C-alpha cells in the first residue's frame, strides 16, 4: 500500500490541532504539506509526470516563503564566500532549497526503509538542534514526524525475517518528508538562538543533497532531462554491484548518521565553519563520483564487495573451496 505520505500528513495535522499555538505548524505549511501529499498520491495512482509535481512543489514552497515568513537570510561565516549578499537572494535561495530537498528525498526513495530511515536520522539531529535553540515549533514538527515515521517503519523497514515491506512511502511520502525536513532545517538554522552553524545542518542533510545535485548534473551533461527517471542512483549502483537490498539500506543509513555525527562533533570541538564546508566537500566526493560515473562505480563496488566477503568467509571454508575435489577411489 502506497499510503505513507497521506498517513504522515494526517498525523501531523491532527497533532497540530492538539498542540497549543506555540507548538502547532503554520496554516501555510499545513496547506503546503496537504498539497504535496495529495498531488504525490495522485501521481502514485495515475502517474501524473514531473510537470504537475514540480508545479505543486513550487506552490508549496511559495506558501512557506510568502505566508510562513521562512527564508534563508544567514549562512553564517559561509556568507563571506558568496559574491552577493544572502539577503538579496533570500527568496530564490529558499525556493531552491525547499524544492530541491523535496526532490532529494524523492531520489533517495528506492529501497525499503531507506528514505524514511534517513528522514528519521536527519530529523533526530534537527530535533536536538531545535531543542538547544528553543525553536518550539520546529521541535514539535520534528518530534511528531519522527513518531509517525517510527510507526511507518514498523511495516516498511527491512527487519530480520521480513520478506517484503507492507507499506510504502511513494511520491506523496518522500515529497512530504522533504518539505518537512527542509522547513525544520531552515527554521533551526535561521534562529537567533541557534547553537550550531548552518554548515552543520549541511552535514546532516548531506547524503540526499549530494544525490540530487550529482544526478541532476550527470543528466544535464549527458543530454537527459533532469526529471527523467533512471537507475543510476546510489542505491541502484550498490544493488547492481551485488549488494542485497537490506545491505544497501543499512550502508546508506550508516553513512547518513556518520556524516551528521562528524559535522556535529567537529562544530562542538571548535572547527571553523569554513573548514567544515571544505571538509564536507571532501567527505561527499566519493558519493558524488559514484553517481557521476555509475558504470565505473558498479565495477569498483563489486570488487570491494567480493574482497570484503572474502575476509568474512571462514579461513577453513576458503581453504577447502580452493582445494580440488578428491579423485574417485581415494581415501581423502
Amino acid at each position: 500500500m502506497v499510503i505513507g505520505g497521506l498517513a504522515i500528513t494526517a498525523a501531523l495535522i491532527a497533532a497540530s490541532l492538539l498542540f497549543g499555538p506555540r507548538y502547532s505548524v503554520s496554516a501555510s505549511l499545513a496547506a503546503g504539506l496537504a498539497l504535496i501529499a495529495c498531488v504525490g498520491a495522485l501521481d502514485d495512482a495515475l502517474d501524473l509526470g514531473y510537470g504537475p509535481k514540480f508545479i505543486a512543489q513550487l506552490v508549496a514552497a511559495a506558501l512557506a516563503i510568502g505566508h510562513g515568513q521562512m527564508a534563508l537570510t544567514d549562512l553564517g561565516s559561509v556568507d563571506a564566500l558568496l559574491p552577493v549578499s544572502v539577503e538579496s537572494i533570500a527568496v530564490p535561495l529558499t525556493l531552491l532549497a525547499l524544492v530541491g530537498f523535496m526532490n532529494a528525498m524523492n531520489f533517495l526513495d528506492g529501497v525499503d526503509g531507506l528514505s524514511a530511515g534517513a528522514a528519521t536520522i536527519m530529523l533526530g539531529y534537527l530535533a536536538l538542534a531545535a531543542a538547544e535553540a528553543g525553536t518550539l515549533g520546529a521541535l514539535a514538527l520534528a518530534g511528531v514526524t519522527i513518531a509517525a515515521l517510527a510507526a511507518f517503519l514498523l511495516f516498511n523497514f527491512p527487519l530480520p525475517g521480513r520478506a517484503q515491506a507492507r507499506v510504502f512511502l511513494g511520491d506523496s511520502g518522500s515529497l512530504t518528508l522533504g518539505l518537512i525536513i527542509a522547513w525544520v532545517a531552515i527554521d533551526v538554522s535561521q534562529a537567533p538562538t541557534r547553537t550550531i552553524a548552518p554548515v552543520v545542518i549541511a552535514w546532516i542533510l548531506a547524503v540526499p543533497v549530494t544525490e540530487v545535485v550529482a544526478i541532476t548534473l550527470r543528466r544535464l551533461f549527458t543530454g537527459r532531462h533532469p526529471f527523467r527517471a533512471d537507475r543510476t542512483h546510489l542505491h541502484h549502483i550498490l544493488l547492481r554491484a551485488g549488494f542485497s537490498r537490506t545491505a544497501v539500506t543499512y550502508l546508506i543509513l550508516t553513512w547518513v548518521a556518520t556524516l551528521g555525527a562528524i559535522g556535529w562533533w567537529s562544530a562542538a570541538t571548535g572547527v571553523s565553519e569554513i573548514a567544515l564546508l571544505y571538509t564536507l566537500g571532501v567527505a561527499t566526493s566519493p558519493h558524488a563520483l559514484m553517481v557521476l560515473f555509475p558504470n565505473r562505480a558498479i565495477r569498483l563496488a563489486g570488487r570491494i564487495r567480493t574482497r570484503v566477503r572474502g575476509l568474512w568467509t571462514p579461513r577453513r571454508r576458503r581453504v577447502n573451496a580452493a582445494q580440488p575435489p578428491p579423485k574417485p577411489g581415494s581415501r581423502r
Side-chain angles (χ1 to χ4, degrees):
M1 295 184 292
V2 188
I3 60 172
L6 295 176
I8 292 172
T9 304
L12 288 174
I13 295 176
S16 179
L17 295 175
L18 295 176
F19 292 154
R22 296 179 64 191
Y23 298 92
S24 60
V25 300
S26 65
S28 60
L29 176 58
L33 291 174
L35 173 64
I36 287 295
C38 291
V39 172
L42 287 174
D43 181 66
D44 291 329
L46 305 176
D47 192 14
L48 299 177
Y50 60 83
K53 286 192 298 182
F54 185 67
I55 293 174
Q57 293 167 28
L58 288 174
V59 173
L63 285 171
I65 296 171
H67 297 284
Q69 298 181 349
M70 180 71 65
L72 280 167
T73 58
D74 178 17
L75 300 180
S77 300
V78 178
D79 288 351
L81 302 178
L82 300 178
V84 296
S85 169
V86 177
E87 292 186 1
S88 65
I89 58 171
V91 172
L93 181 62
T94 308
L95 188 68
L96 176 64
L98 293 173
V99 174
F101 202 79
M102 280 187 268
N103 284 282
M105 291 303 295
N106 192 26
F107 281 16
L108 202 64
D109 185 27
V111 184
D112 293 345
L114 179 55
S115 186
T120 303
I121 295 171
M122 291 184 288
L123 284 170
Y125 284 120
L126 293 175
L128 180 58
E132 292 184 352
T135 52
L136 300 181
L139 177 60
L141 180 57
V144 172
T145 307
I146 290 173
L149 285 171
F152 171 79
L153 286 170
L154 290 175
F155 303 95
N156 180 259
F157 199 77
L159 298 173
R162 175 180 294 169
Q164 186 177 359
R166 302 176 184 176
V167 181
F168 304 93
L169 278 178
D171 284 353
S172 63
S174 58
L175 294 174
T176 300
L177 287 176
L179 179 57
I180 292 170
I181 297 170
W183 176 282
V184 173
I186 294 174
D187 194 12
V188 172
S189 69
Q190 303 304 295
T193 55
R194 71 190 183 205
T195 59
I196 61 173
V199 69
V200 179
I201 304 294
W203 277 83
I204 295 171
L205 310 182
V207 171
V209 172
T210 302
E211 182 85 353
V212 71
V213 171
I215 287 176
T216 301
L217 289 176
R218 180 178 47 76
R219 289 175 180 174
L220 291 174
F221 289 158
T222 57
R224 294 176 57 87
H225 195 284
F227 293 112
R228 292 291 184 186
D230 55 30
R231 296 184 61 82
T232 54
H233 297 243
L234 179 60
H235 53 270
H236 290 136
I237 291 171
L238 295 176
L239 288 171
R240 292 166 64 183
F243 290 90
S244 67
R245 299 178 70 86
T246 300
V248 169
T249 298
Y250 281 92
L251 283 172
I252 298 179
L253 292 185
T254 300
W255 187 232
V256 173
T258 300
L259 287 179
I262 292 173
W264 197 290
W265 176 83
S266 299
T269 54
V271 179
S272 70
E273 296 178 34
I274 302 299
L276 275 174
L277 179 64
Y278 289 135
T279 307
L280 178 60
V282 175
T284 56
S285 58
H287 179 180
L289 290 173
M290 290 180 71
V291 174
L292 288 171
F293 305 99
N295 293 329
R296 296 180 182 178
I298 291 169
R299 292 193 295 268
L300 177 60
R303 288 196 294 267
I304 293 174
R305 171 183 170 273
T306 301
R307 292 186 179 182
V308 170
R309 288 193 63 183
L311 293 175
W312 285 349
T313 303
R315 183 176 182 278
R316 184 175 180 181
R317 186 185 304 173
R318 293 202 307 268
V319 172
N320 292 338
Q323 293 177 349
K327 296 180 180 181
S330 66
R331 295 183 180 180
R332 178 182 166 189

